[in-house]
Amino acid sequence: MSLNRREFIQNAAAAAAALAGAAALSRPAAAASNPVRPPGARAEGEFLALCIRCGRCGDACPNQAIQTFTKEAGRRFSMVPGRGEEGTPVIFPRLQACSLCQSDKGDVLRCGEACPTGALRLVKKEPEAVQAQVEMGTAVVDKNLCFSYTTACCGVCIRACPFKGRALKAGMHETPVVDPEFCVGCGLCERVCVRYPQAISIRAGRRVTA
Amino acid sequence: MKVRVWPLRRAVQLGVLFAILMAPVLARYEHYMSARSYEKMEKAFAGRAVGVWLKAAEGLLGVGLRWEEGGVVGRRPRKRLIERARNLYGSAWSARVFGLSLTDLLAGFESAAASRGLRAVLVTGLAVPLLLTMLLGRVYCAWVCPMGLVSALARQLRRLLVFLELKPLSVELSRADKYAVLAVGVFAAALTGLPLLHHLYPPAIVGRESHALFQAWFDRSEAEMFSVPWQALGAGTLLLGLLLIIEAAVVPGFWCRALCPGGALYSLFGRFRLLRVTRKKAACIDCDLCDRACPMGLQPMSDKTGMECDNCLACLDACPTDALKVGFVKKVGAAAVLLAALGVSASAHHILGIPHYAYDKEWPQAPVLKLVEKVGEWEVQFTGYPGRPKPGVRADVTVYVWDPATSAVYDGSIRLEAAQVRALGGQRTFFGPEESRRNGTLHKFSVTYPEDGNYELTLHLTAGGVPSTLRFPLVVGDPPSPWRPLGLGTGAFVMFFVAARAVRIKRARRQRTAP
């Protein structure tokens, strides 16, 4: 099939129009929303570049905590997928938190094992490796809301913490005290918090390391 | 009797589509099993579509398994089922099948371009598809990609249009365009650091949309709302529908032939493929049937298949004299590549008492609704208990206003107004404005919603001396989608139009032949 110049230009224009139209259809409007990523995720920019939005980590997650980030999925938490974030894996700890595969067999975190591109690192399940490589976020306590700080002993979040005594220490009357150096942001404390709005919640992003 | 290839190809394509839909269901099945709540969910989902999907998952996983565990005959073999459910993750875009990582070449290229690097994990996932493409050509396009089914459907629709004398257009696009799309896409990914082509690529879209749909479906079903959450589908589904319509009415088969960036990549790697369609010149009668049957618009009759051939073997089906044959052109080379593909293994690497109470109705579930708005320095947190209330039952709304910088709590008054959102922007206020009940630092309201539907809750507060109004959307129960009557109406109209036109055409033809 041979083309003359006019046909070639027409074809190229049609291709460009189709590409632009589809890109416009799928282009999200909002700015970056800073969601909680699965454990072992690389720094946000690198993560978004590596991730191919295939959903394998979500299928592998034994706690079904990893969701596909869509407008509908984030609606309940005022979270709108930002530019380039549509279809990426995300965790809403309020809905289902990361259990760090603790009730699961095997010696690595399953999402990192499932990731085909290395957007999620392969993380061993030993506490030291998790501490070193998992940076989902940091728990933040709102002392105005927390039962232990305001009215009565509660301590539910401290019991849920996989690194209790280190990441989440119990103060007087079981008040939760977060140590940002050890907190990996798994969100089990937010998941179990009986207060609503949650007195303890995960602030996503790199955790503060000393 | 000639053996046709197309039924086999269609079966493979449908099987792949079924596996893509099944992957998120298997993941959820495994989750229920390991949470020891499958029996509970089975009961809760009985007689519902989600229950049928779960049953299908169990039926599939239980093939050849003895129903026995821990020496108890008749008990569900939980551990074996969980083990088996882990054999399929992902979709046709990137999948893990029985421990073997298979990643689409386009996915690999985009990821590598966007991150400007190539990781060992990715290389192991690309190895098998790459070797198979070099051996067999673009077989992914013809046998695996779900777009093949969309194209087939479009071809049938086109036949319907022709029958209805609606004269579909026939525009020809250059096959070279797809290489431009690929180049632009990979360049854009490298430039912006964000993959772009997965928004356009049908296998990626189908996988992503099926995951989003099933996740939303199961999440809602766990809260006893069983309607199919079509709103979870995104722009990708719209794009697939658009492709279907354009293929049927304007440019037949244009996506795979002329625009698909993945097709371009597979063509490049399939250029020196060893599995080829060959023609016995002596048997060929130059009838042109194979050229017309080729979905890629190639010419097998004059041996012009080039690198674009995807070995769909439609030409073999069309050939009346069996002049066309398929086979490996270099037997030794083919065997070597096949061995290499088999040798590559993709498994290159290898709660402390947290109860799974999420599925117990009795457990006081905290809400899964937390909407946040900012007013000046104040952060307004809006939660409802339950997160998605039922109509006719009193539901709590809790508002908490604080300043995250100073931890100060808002001390003024808050009033709440609740209105039902009707069609065409109409609203009916049925609650308030009412002053809040103070409970420590919280502001509480109790609202009883009259019926299933979309609601808007309006908060009035005075922050920093300025009266502010905040609006929060809330869905109550399981309201029918506003698009439903529109879709049903359009569908009924199209059916009526097609039927009426068909009757008219039949009658006209009969009159023409009668005298």
Side-chain angles (χ1 to χ4, degrees), chain B residues 381-417:
Chain B
Q381 297 184 2
F382 177 98
T383 47
Y385 179 73
R388 191 155 179 160
K390 290 198 165 55
V393 181
R394 201 190 72 162
D396 282 349
V397 169
T398 307
V399 179
Y400 171 60
V401 184
W402 74 314
D403 180 354
T406 60
S407 290
V409 180
Y410 171 77
D411 205 30
S413 79
I414 296 182
R415 280 175 303 135
L416 178 85
E417 205 176 324

Side-chain angles (χ1 to χ4, degrees), chain B residues 11-40:
Chain B
V12 172
Q13 283 173 329
L14 285 171
V16 170
L17 182 67
F18 180 68
I20 293 172
L21 294 176
M22 214 61 205
V25 182
L26 288 181
R28 199 51 75 113
Y29 175 83
E30 185 215 324
H31 174 53
Y32 292 151
M33 280 305 241
S34 41
R36 292 175 196 273
S37 41
Y38 178 73
E39 281 81 4
K40 202 184 293 174

Side-chain angles (χ1 to χ4, degrees), chain B residues 119-130:
Chain B
R119 287 171 196 286
V121 197
L122 184 55
V123 176
T124 56
L126 288 178
V128 172
L130 195 66

Side-chain angles (χ1 to χ4, degrees), chain B residues 78 92 101 148 203 247 337 354 365 416:
Chain B
R78 190 171 149 273
S101 184
E247 290 223 336
V337 179
I354 299 295
Q365 273 289 289
L416 178 85

